[in-house]
Amino acid sequence: MTVRVLGIDPGLTRCGVGIVDVAANRSATLVDVQVLRSSPDLPLERRLLLISEGLEELLDRHQPHFVAIERVFAQQNVSTVMGTAQISGVALMLAAKRGLTVTQHTPSEVKAAITGYGAADKKQVGTMVARVLGLAEIPKPADAADALALAICHAWRTGAAGGVLPTSGTVAAGTRSTPTLTPGALTPAQKAWRDAERGNAPGSTAAASAAHRRLAR
């Protein structure tokens, strides 16, 4: 049983988008990969519109079952964080309009899923993405490889395509109907993030950071 996942590495200047088909045996096939761009010289509203239009076109053309977005928990560059958050919001809204399930994965979750090591560098991630997809070279720029890694990570971590990992419903043969994920099927890291964001534990920010560090080991 094969599912289609659209991964988004959000960014205002460069937004990576990767679409893969993943089978129950965890094999993955490249469908499309693009990097949407907007010039820093343009007004913010125009930049958001450009990225939004690109995302809409890819969503409607490829009809994914799931959308996976990178969750960035901290960066020193405030303008970069703002741009990432703005594009993430646009992507979430566009997916919701189409009734798609969206999951956010931390960078460490993606690295661990793809390479087995939560602190892998971009070259290691890109190398494994190329290997998994049977590509002759690493997708470039890094935003493209990261978006594909997100899509693969989502299918593997959630078991959306079936196989041995927990989850989901089925995909009707020959259709693009959307499988339904098992409610509450979160990874330990995702549960830690959820609890931290809801403030369910003392020192929520510290809790999220601690979860990130555990994944990186």
Side-chain angles (χ1 to χ4, degrees), residues 86-113:
Q86 288 163 338
I87 296 303
S88 293
V90 167
L92 287 164
M93 180 271 294
L94 293 175
K97 283 179 64 177
R98 290 158 176 77
L100 295 171
T101 298
V102 182
T103 304
Q104 296 184 64
H105 298 278
T106 68
S108 290
E109 285 179 329
V110 176
K111 292 173 183 177

Side-chain angles (χ1 to χ4, degrees), residues 145-183:
D146 289 347
L148 291 169
L150 273 158
I152 297 167
C153 165
H154 178 79
W156 286 0
R157 288 185 67 87
T158 65
V164 297
L165 298 175
T167 69
S168 70
T170 61
V171 181
T175 72
R176 281 284 170 222
S177 57
T178 303
T180 302
L181 289 176
T182 302

Side-chain angles (χ1 to χ4, degrees), residues 11-15 36-48 50-51 77 79-80 83 86:
L12 190 54
T13 301
R14 294 187 310 276
C15 178
L36 307 175
R37 302 173 188 270
S38 73
S39 170
D41 297 329
L42 293 173
L44 175 60
E45 63 273 20
R46 178 62 182 165
R47 299 182 72 187
L48 291 173
L50 284 172
I51 300 297
N77 189 326
S79 63
T80 300
Q86 288 163 338

